[in-house]
Amino acid sequence: MANRSLSSFISGVPMPMRLPVAIIPMMLLASPAAAQSAAVGQQAFAVCSACHSVKPGEKRMGPTLFGVVGRKAGSVPGYVYSPAFAKLQNKWTPGELDRYLKSPKTMVPGTKMFFVGIPDDTRRRAVIAYLATLK
């Protein structure tokens, strides 16, 4: 097989298996970058951890951020949100988290979160990559 090209190798694979066989190498190449971004994000999250836990159900000054990606904003049971935040109908997608973490008071005027935001795009995306691992 050393002299065979990837396309000739794939042509020998039964049709239902071709897509997975072709995609697996791409997934393996992409994983280290995502893991590295999440690791950088975990370090950048340290400033957030003063007020937010990443453990399920654990509240601090702010709600837990465990499972935040994909969750409806303002929906952690038992946490008392500001009236402005309680009105949000957003779902925390990576895009919405990016917008919020860039400038919380711009996205949610009246929020009780006093954090000014993460202005650096790369650092903010790394924090979001880390939050996405908390499931």
Side-chain angles (χ1 to χ4, degrees), residues 17-106:
M17 294 299 295
R18 285 186 187 179
L19 185 59
V21 166
I23 289 177
I24 288 170
M26 291 185 287
M27 288 172 39
L28 293 174
L29 290 174
S31 296
Q36 182 179 13
S37 181
V40 169
Q42 184 175 14
Q43 292 172 350
F45 182 82
V47 43
C48 309
S49 66
C51 298
H52 294 279
S53 172
V54 295
K55 295 179 182 170
E58 184 177 277
K59 293 179 291 244
R60 294 187 182 164
M61 188 181 296
T64 180
L65 295 181
F66 180 85
V68 69
V69 177
R71 182 170 70 207
K72 181 185 177 299
S75 66
V76 172
Y79 182 77
V80 180
Y81 292 90
S82 65
F85 214 97
K87 290 179 191 174
L88 279 182
Q89 295 299 310
N90 302 35
K91 186 174 185 179
W92 287 126
T93 64
E96 286 294 289
L97 283 165
D98 185 66
R99 192 166 72 113
Y100 181 70
L101 292 174
K102 185 172 187 173
S103 179
K105 291 190 182 296
T106 300

